[in-house]
Amino acid sequence: MFMRLSWLCAVLVGGAALLSLSACSDSSDVGLGVGPPSDSLQGGQPLTLDVSPSLADTARDVPITGENARQPPNRDAWRFLAGTVNDPASGPGVIEAEGYVDFAGRNSLPSAIASADDADSLTAELRLPTVYLHGIADGEISVEVYDLTEEATMDSARADASFEADEMNPASVSTAQISPTDSLVTIELRQNWIRQNLTVLQDTSDDGLSFEDNFSGFKIVAPNSEAVVGFSSSDAALRLTHVSDTASADFPALKTFTHITERNAASAPTGYKLLQGGVGAGLTMEWDFDAPPLDTLRNAPLNRAEIFVPVDTSELNRRTGPDFSRPLPSGFRVVATRHPDPDTPSCSNIFGVLGLATGNRACTLPLVSSAAPAAALVSNDIARPIFAQSFRRVRETNGTSDPPLFTTFRVFAADRQSADSGSRATLQPGLPTTVPVLIPDQTAPEDPGPPRATLTVTPL
């Protein structure tokens, strides 16, 4: 367990010595901008102490990567990904992403398109604005596009889901060479595909819903690439153009989804734990309230608390090869699992209104969004009730005690459009991503140090 000097003193001297711990503390122990609070309770000199939890890289939570523009929440920044990447920061792990996109119908078309009876008079293309690149940026990527064989329920689908496509038909749709650094990727669809789908493409009945009932969308893959490319869900379109007069009509994206798999097991470098975007590999943290030093603080008033999970962005940048592009994550997600004891209060009783995980078994903790990408940070407003109530519960009364509020805290990468998205956004699933994140473990040097809780207590 990582302990700073003040913790070491607390362990050696014990709870009874808290009155004299100020001799063991120095100003360098005050981390994360937390100093002696202005609202200190009566007693000794406030002490700011750090203690790290036990760490395990066993957390798994496959992320949501599906979105439907007509189903809440409507996230304008949503994206879908395609390609493969082998990131130098995650050892031999190869991440593969397959993109799916379906389009909304139209209630009208330009007359030249609506009346066209010859497929050769039309062109069709996918227009995909690029918003994400992870991998080798140099060179072109070979992309394959296939018809989906049936309507796919992409709404809030998780990354391990998949939908059937007509991949056995070599003439299904199209192949193309794209540049991952282009701001807009266009993929021309084959004339044979237009001919087979002309009636459906011209169907504007029922305000376009007939088109949606009969058009299932596409699967986009790049199985031999060295990069994963992301496309904007809100701005993607299927465009029909009448060749002779250039009249055009765009079908906007309605549903998108990304299927993400891991070909080889990723591994963290020595001294780190690995969060792996896309496959939901996270970090499990646990604080033991019955062991030193937390067991010495049960009766000490708690003034402030923060939970700090640092990210070694310098090490990530160092593990980047030539022409390799890796976006840093703009967000994280922390989920605390409630103790199964029947007297454990609910998430809303602990924090008030708060996003909850399935069945109220876990609480999703709001984070300080601006701390990303350098850290996942749980502020005093959230962390103090966790530790204060846990201390109160484990404090023995009449020879009995209750367990702490939470058994584990799980940390995941959850990318955002911006690190300035606000704490409420950190309760929601992040954008589809494939990036790894390196968290220093207990062997890490003091800067940045391992994950830790920073507690300010006032000895009585």
Side-chain angles (χ1 to χ4, degrees):
M1 177 177 290
F2 169 89
M3 287 181 286
R4 294 193 178 185
L5 179 59
S6 52
W7 276 127
L8 182 59
C9 292
V11 174
L12 292 177
V13 181
L18 275 172
L19 289 172
S20 62
L21 261 176
S22 58
C24 298
S25 180
D26 61 50
S27 59
S28 67
D29 287 337
V30 179
L32 315 180
V34 180
S38 59
D39 58 347
S40 298
L41 303 179
Q42 295 298 317
Q45 179 68 27
L47 303 172
T48 299
L49 314 170
D50 284 348
V51 60
S52 283
S54 60
L55 304 178
D57 51 4
T58 56
R60 284 277 171 170
D61 186 13
V62 179
I64 292 173
T65 54
E67 175 80 339
N68 185 328
R70 295 192 185 129
Q71 300 293 331
N74 304 121
R75 293 173 282 252
D76 293 338
W78 203 256
R79 61 196 180 208
F80 60 104
L81 316 176
T84 62
V85 61
N86 183 358
D87 195 302
S90 55
V94 176
I95 303 297
E96 181 171 7
E98 300 173 340
Y100 296 76
V101 57
D102 196 4
F103 297 94
R106 295 174 56 99
N107 58 15
S108 66
L109 289 168
S111 58
I113 295 177
S115 61
D117 55 9
D118 181 5
D120 291 336
S121 67
L122 301 174
T123 62
E125 66 179 7
L126 295 178
R127 298 177 61 83
L128 309 175
T130 56
V131 292
Y132 176 93
L133 174 59
H134 180 202
I136 302 297
D138 188 26
E140 292 189 327
I141 293 176
S142 179
V143 172
E144 302 167 7
V145 183
Y146 300 99
D147 280 314
L148 295 182
T149 57
E150 60 184 4
E151 195 67 18
T153 304
M154 303 182 196
D155 316 3
S156 297
R158 294 189 179 271
D160 56 356
S162 61
F163 305 104
E164 290 296 322
D166 191 10
E167 297 184 51
M168 300 305 294
N169 180 3
S172 175
V173 180
S174 185
T175 60
Q177 298 291 316
I178 68 170
S179 171
T181 57
D182 285 348
S183 60
L184 175 67
V185 166
T186 58
I187 303 174
E188 187 173 349
L189 305 181
R190 295 174 177 174
Q191 289 302 127
N192 185 52
W193 182 86
I194 301 175
R195 190 171 299 110
Q196 293 173 352
N197 293 275
L198 182 59
T199 302
V200 174
L201 292 169
Q202 292 174 319
D203 190 351
T204 58
S205 61
D206 200 15
D207 285 334
L209 292 180
S210 294
F211 167 85
E212 295 173 16
D213 289 339
N214 293 287
F215 182 82
S216 300
F218 301 120
K219 177 180 180 179
I220 303 174
V221 299
N224 299 312
S225 69
E226 295 182 292
V228 171
V229 183
F231 307 108
S232 168
S233 296
S234 58
D235 297 321
L238 167 62
R239 174 171 292 182
L240 287 183
T241 302
H242 193 263
V243 176
S244 62
D245 60 7
T246 67
S248 65
D250 284 355
F251 296 79
L254 173 62
K255 298 183 291 184
T256 63
F257 167 70
T258 305
H259 173 70
I260 302 176
T261 56
E262 189 176 31
R263 286 187 192 169
N264 303 308
S267 60
T270 301
Y272 294 92
K273 298 294 185 182
L274 177 69
L275 310 185
Q276 180 59 64
V279 297
L283 173 69
T284 297
M285 308 185 299
E286 182 177 354
W287 279 273
D288 188 349
F289 284 79
D290 291 323
L294 293 182
D295 64 341
T296 68
L297 302 178
R298 295 177 179 179
N299 296 305
L302 178 66
N303 296 27
R304 291 185 60 85
E306 289 182 336
I307 297 174
F308 183 72
V309 183
V311 175
D312 197 333
T313 56
S314 296
E315 184 66 15
L316 282 170
N317 291 333
R318 191 181 73 80
R319 294 175 177 272
T320 300
D323 301 317
F324 192 90
S325 176
R326 182 200 300 115
L328 291 173
S330 294
F332 303 94
R333 201 159 184 252
V334 175
V335 180
T337 302
R338 294 172 60 246
H339 196 283
D341 183 80
D343 292 331
T344 302
S346 66
C347 299
S348 58
N349 285 339
I350 300 170
F351 307 111
V353 178
L354 188 66
L356 306 180
T358 303
N360 201 29
R361 275 248 23 226
C363 305
T364 304
L365 307 184
L367 307 179
V368 179
S369 64
S370 59
L377 176 62
V378 181
S379 70
N380 175 66
D381 290 345
I382 302 300
R384 185 179 180 277
I386 293 174
F387 282 90
Q389 292 189 46
S390 293
F391 283 139
R392 189 178 305 122
R393 287 170 60 83
V394 300
R395 187 183 303 144
E396 288 192 11
T397 303
N398 297 323
T400 63
S401 64
D402 292 322
L405 293 177
F406 300 110
T407 57
T408 59
F409 298 76
R410 294 175 295 146
V411 187
F412 302 97
D415 202 13
R416 313 287 172 194
Q417 184 178 15
S418 167
D420 296 326
S421 54
S423 61
R424 183 172 293 275
T426 66
L427 300 175
Q428 302 300 323
L431 298 172
T433 181
T434 54
V435 296
V437 176
L438 297 181
I439 307 295
D441 65 17
Q442 288 94 335
T443 66
E446 187 166 338
D447 186 15
R452 55 195 179 266
T454 297
L455 309 179
T456 298
V457 297
T458 302
L460 295 176

mmCIF file with all atom_site columns, all heavy atoms in Angstrom, residues 9 52 69 303 352 403:
data_model
loop_
_atom_site.group_PDB
_atom_site.id
_atom_site.type_symbol
_atom_site.label_atom_id
_atom_site.label_alt_id
_atom_site.label_comp_id
_atom_site.label_asym_id
_atom_site.label_entity_id
_atom_site.label_seq_id
_atom_site.pdbx_PDB_ins_code
_atom_site.Cartn_x
_atom_site.Cartn_y
_atom_site.Cartn_z
_atom_site.occupancy
_atom_site.B_iso_or_equiv
_atom_site.pdbx_formal_charge
_atom_site.auth_seq_id
_atom_site.auth_comp_id
_atom_site.auth_asym_id
_atom_site.auth_atom_id
_atom_site.pdbx_PDB_model_num
ATOM 1  N N   . CYS A 1 9   ? 3.430   7.604  9.725   1.00 0.00 ? 9   CYS A N   1
ATOM 2  C CA  . CYS A 1 9   ? 3.389   7.945  11.144  1.00 0.00 ? 9   CYS A CA  1
ATOM 3  C C   . CYS A 1 9   ? 2.119   7.421  11.787  1.00 0.00 ? 9   CYS A C   1
ATOM 4  O O   . CYS A 1 9   ? 2.140   6.906  12.906  1.00 0.00 ? 9   CYS A O   1
ATOM 5  C CB  . CYS A 1 9   ? 3.466   9.458  11.323  1.00 0.00 ? 9   CYS A CB  1
ATOM 6  S SG  . CYS A 1 9   ? 5.070   10.147 10.865  1.00 0.00 ? 9   CYS A SG  1
ATOM 7  N N   . SER A 1 52  ? -3.521  4.797  -0.683  1.00 0.00 ? 52  SER A N   1
ATOM 8  C CA  . SER A 1 52  ? -3.906  4.142  -1.926  1.00 0.00 ? 52  SER A CA  1
ATOM 9  C C   . SER A 1 52  ? -4.676  2.866  -1.648  1.00 0.00 ? 52  SER A C   1
ATOM 10 O O   . SER A 1 52  ? -4.423  2.174  -0.670  1.00 0.00 ? 52  SER A O   1
ATOM 11 C CB  . SER A 1 52  ? -2.668  3.808  -2.765  1.00 0.00 ? 52  SER A CB  1
ATOM 12 O OG  . SER A 1 52  ? -2.175  4.960  -3.399  1.00 0.00 ? 52  SER A OG  1
ATOM 13 N N   . ALA A 1 69  ? -30.734 8.173  -33.366 1.00 0.00 ? 69  ALA A N   1
ATOM 14 C CA  . ALA A 1 69  ? -30.961 9.616  -33.269 1.00 0.00 ? 69  ALA A CA  1
ATOM 15 C C   . ALA A 1 69  ? -32.344 9.951  -32.746 1.00 0.00 ? 69  ALA A C   1
ATOM 16 O O   . ALA A 1 69  ? -32.579 11.068 -32.266 1.00 0.00 ? 69  ALA A O   1
ATOM 17 C CB  . ALA A 1 69  ? -30.747 10.265 -34.633 1.00 0.00 ? 69  ALA A CB  1
ATOM 18 N N   . ASN A 1 303 ? -12.768 16.312 7.384   1.00 0.00 ? 303 ASN A N   1
ATOM 19 C CA  . ASN A 1 303 ? -13.082 17.627 6.836   1.00 0.00 ? 303 ASN A CA  1
ATOM 20 C C   . ASN A 1 303 ? -13.240 17.615 5.319   1.00 0.00 ? 303 ASN A C   1
ATOM 21 O O   . ASN A 1 303 ? -14.121 18.273 4.776   1.00 0.00 ? 303 ASN A O   1
ATOM 22 C CB  . ASN A 1 303 ? -11.986 18.633 7.202   1.00 0.00 ? 303 ASN A CB  1
ATOM 23 C CG  . ASN A 1 303 ? -11.902 18.859 8.696   1.00 0.00 ? 303 ASN A CG  1
ATOM 24 O OD1 . ASN A 1 303 ? -12.248 17.984 9.479   1.00 0.00 ? 303 ASN A OD1 1
ATOM 25 N ND2 . ASN A 1 303 ? -11.427 20.029 9.085   1.00 0.00 ? 303 ASN A ND2 1
ATOM 26 N N   . GLY A 1 352 ? -27.993 11.992 -3.009  1.00 0.00 ? 352 GLY A N   1
ATOM 27 C CA  . GLY A 1 352 ? -29.081 12.677 -3.676  1.00 0.00 ? 352 GLY A CA  1
ATOM 28 C C   . GLY A 1 352 ? -29.281 12.084 -5.067  1.00 0.00 ? 352 GLY A C   1
ATOM 29 O O   . GLY A 1 352 ? -28.851 10.967 -5.348  1.00 0.00 ? 352 GLY A O   1
ATOM 30 N N   . PRO A 1 403 ? -20.574 -2.727 7.711   1.00 0.00 ? 403 PRO A N   1
ATOM 31 C CA  . PRO A 1 403 ? -19.526 -2.630 6.688   1.00 0.00 ? 403 PRO A CA  1
ATOM 32 C C   . PRO A 1 403 ? -19.524 -1.244 6.045   1.00 0.00 ? 403 PRO A C   1
ATOM 33 O O   . PRO A 1 403 ? -20.512 -0.500 6.156   1.00 0.00 ? 403 PRO A O   1
ATOM 34 C CB  . PRO A 1 403 ? -19.934 -3.707 5.679   1.00 0.00 ? 403 PRO A CB  1
ATOM 35 C CG  . PRO A 1 403 ? -21.408 -3.833 5.839   1.00 0.00 ? 403 PRO A CG  1
ATOM 36 C CD  . PRO A 1 403 ? -21.683 -3.594 7.293   1.00 0.00 ? 403 PRO A CD  1
#
